[in-house]
Amino acid sequence: SSSAKPTPAPAAAAAPADVKKADPKFETFDAFLRKRQYDVLALPGNQKYVTGQIKRGGMMKIPPSVSIKQQPYRHVDTLSIINVPEMENFIGYWNGILLENAMQRTGFMYGYYLEDKNYDEGTRAIMEGIYEPSQEMVGEIAEPLKDDQEMARVNRIAEALGLECIGWVFTSLPLEDDLLLSPEEVLRIARLQNDHSTDAHFTGYTLSKFVTCAVRPDPGNNGAPCVNPFMVSEQACAMLRDGILTSAPSERRTCLVREAKQDELIPDFVVEGRSGKKIATDFFIVRVNDTAPKKHQRMFTHADFPRENRPTHPQRREDLKKYFSKIPKSEPSWSRFADFHLLLFIAKEIDVDTAVAIAECVRDRKDIPEGVTMMFNELINEA
């Protein structure tokens, strides 16, 4: 129960219980590799979508044609929104306050990865918190401000909690014609996956486990917000990396292979046997399941502290007093501080080292040092 609680989100934010199943479209990455004897050389991330130069009077090397295919594997099989109140608050703020002013919202999801036992060598991403960066509307989408000064501090607190940035969530209006992702969204997701990629896999193959969560009104459910997790294929990421893939406002359903510059040869891209410059976004989409994990406790026992960077509800020092006044003093000290946004506020407004020390106590379920609780009692009484 929060003093600044937004309109509650409909139950769409809550995920259903686990059901044991095999996905007909996507294999887990490690199971896919096992069948290939762990050969990664021919995988899309290792391909270079190079262009050729036309040399006057010389030999021309024509770049090999590229077949656009649906990716048969995925790096994350399931997104588990374990902190349901966190997602409900994010959706509620957008649905109840921003949407009527045609504003959208975005945030970075923090959590960790576990084995997903529903799949052969599967991977599950667990969402514990959402950091809402300073952002602005660019056209019809919310974009985080470039060079966010707070991000390094947020990541330091997350690290102390044993969490990392596992993906991002964004809101939008419904897409037409049952489109899952727009061309612009595919490019944004590919860029973010490239930015959050790693070669830590045992094969040394560079890959990303950065999950996207799209939140849109569902026309089939009276406009109630619907949560859909996705990734895009490594082929899309590699084509964007090499400057080949683009989009145009006139093309609502397809990404485009950019036009060749003067004296440049661009590979021939083949989609379903036909050469062309337009590629339907569906070819690049990798669906991720969303379920709630059984037997898992969420890290944060509270999700009530006002969120950061909300222009309509700025954070204030007196929020500390309001927050702690609603939490029983009988709770363990670590639990009273177990709110992601409270910890981020402490790091920003009081002291990063203090916030890190508290975060480690929350992570380990240990009592907060007495000196720290005394300091907060004094701060609360002053507010």
Side-chain angles (χ1 to χ4, degrees):
S1 55
S2 165
S3 53
K5 197 161 188 176
T7 311
D18 278 332
V19 180
K20 187 97 173 165
K21 57 189 177 297
D23 195 289
K25 275 194 173 177
F26 302 102
E27 287 185 89
T28 66
F29 182 57
D30 284 352
F32 173 82
L33 276 188
R34 199 168 59 224
K35 291 178 184 173
R36 298 168 57 97
Q37 280 78 48
Y38 302 99
D39 177 16
V40 296
L41 282 176
L43 293 184
N46 281 335
Q47 304 313 301
K48 295 280 187 281
Y49 297 96
V50 292
T51 58
Q53 291 298 122
I54 300 172
K55 292 181 180 156
R56 305 285 177 205
M59 294 284 288
M60 280 194 308
K61 188 177 180 187
I62 299 173
S65 65
V66 177
S67 183
I68 300 293
K69 293 177 182 168
Q70 184 99 40
Q71 185 168 291
Y73 57 84
R74 59 188 174 193
H75 296 296
V76 176
D77 302 287
T78 307
L79 172 68
S80 289
I81 299 167
I82 196 168
N83 194 344
V84 173
E86 182 85 342
M87 184 62 85
E88 285 180 338
N89 189 298
F90 176 85
I91 294 174
Y93 177 60
W94 163 67
N95 196 38
I97 292 167
L98 299 182
L99 198 52
E100 62 189 31
N101 297 312
M103 303 271 290
Q104 302 299 336
R105 194 76 180 154
T106 188
F108 290 104
M109 301 190 293
Y110 282 81
Y112 51 94
Y113 299 98
L114 289 178
E115 182 188 355
D116 188 337
K117 294 185 177 170
N118 291 327
Y119 301 98
D120 179 14
E121 299 193 63
T123 299
R124 181 189 294 271
I126 309 279
M127 193 284 283
E128 289 275 10
I130 300 171
Y131 164 62
E132 299 180 24
S134 298
Q135 52 199 273
E136 61 185 353
M137 289 296 293
V138 178
E140 294 181 355
I141 58 174
E143 282 276 11
L145 298 184
K146 288 184 171 55
D147 302 320
D148 182 357
Q149 300 300 309
E150 293 181 44
M151 205 70 191
R153 190 168 51 230
V154 172
N155 286 333
R156 190 167 169 208
I157 301 308
E159 191 179 345
L161 288 159
L163 306 178
E164 61 184 297
C165 189
I166 60 163
W168 71 304
V169 54
F170 73 94
T171 66
S172 90
L173 297 173
L175 298 178
E176 54 204 39
D177 305 327
D178 296 326
L179 204 59
L180 294 174
L181 289 174
S182 72
E184 294 78 17
E185 288 167 356
V186 167
L187 296 184
R188 281 179 94 196
I189 295 167
R191 194 170 293 116
L192 282 162
Q193 285 180 203
N194 284 341
D195 289 347
H196 295 83
S197 58
T198 172
D199 61 1
H201 190 264
F202 67 85
T203 58
Y205 181 63
T206 298
L207 56 85
S208 179
K209 293 184 179 179
F210 193 82
V211 182
T212 290
C213 203
V215 180
R216 317 187 203 271
D218 180 2
N221 191 20
N222 298 320
C226 182
V227 176
N228 277 308
F230 298 101
M231 293 182 72
V232 297
S233 69
E234 292 178 327
Q235 193 167 47
C237 293
M239 288 172 70
L240 182 83
R241 176 200 68 203
D242 292 348
I244 293 286
L245 201 61
T246 185
S247 66
S250 58
E251 296 294 336
R252 304 302 298 162
R253 303 185 65 86
T254 57
C255 294
L256 303 174
V257 175
R258 71 166 170 80
E259 291 299 322
K261 297 170 188 165
Q262 188 176 354
D263 294 340
E264 183 186 37
L265 284 171
I266 279 182
D268 198 22
F269 286 85
V270 180
V271 183
E272 293 186 319
R274 290 185 184 174
S275 174
K277 299 250 180 208
K278 295 181 181 181
I279 305 165
T281 57
D282 284 358
F283 279 102
F284 294 133
I285 293 172
V286 176
R287 296 297 299 263
V288 176
N289 296 312
D290 59 325
T291 61
K294 293 175 186 172
K295 303 177 188 168
H296 260 85
Q297 294 291 316
R298 68 178 198 254
M299 173 173 281
F300 301 113
T301 48
H302 301 284
D304 301 324
F305 197 82
R307 272 51 179 171
E308 56 287 331
N309 301 316
R310 287 187 177 176
T312 54
H313 297 75
Q315 291 175 324
R316 296 184 174 89
R317 271 285 174 108
E318 55 262 35
D319 291 330
L320 282 173
K321 189 169 191 172
K322 282 183 190 170
Y323 170 85
F324 283 108
S325 71
K326 297 192 173 181
I327 295 174
K329 289 191 166 58
S330 58
E331 263 190 41
S333 60
W334 64 263
S335 177
R336 300 183 77 220
F337 282 85
D339 183 305
F340 189 44
H341 305 280
L342 169 68
L343 295 172
L344 297 183
F345 180 80
I346 292 169
K348 183 179 179 182
E349 295 294 331
I350 298 169
D351 176 58
V352 173
D353 291 334
T354 301
V356 165
I358 297 170
E360 288 171 349
C361 292
V362 170
R363 178 193 69 201
D364 299 335
R365 299 329 207 204
K366 287 182 180 171
D367 284 341
I368 307 288
E370 197 174 334
V372 174
T373 52
M374 284 172 66
M375 179 184 79
F376 274 91
N377 288 337
E378 286 173 21
L379 280 172
I380 291 160
N381 292 332
E382 285 168 15

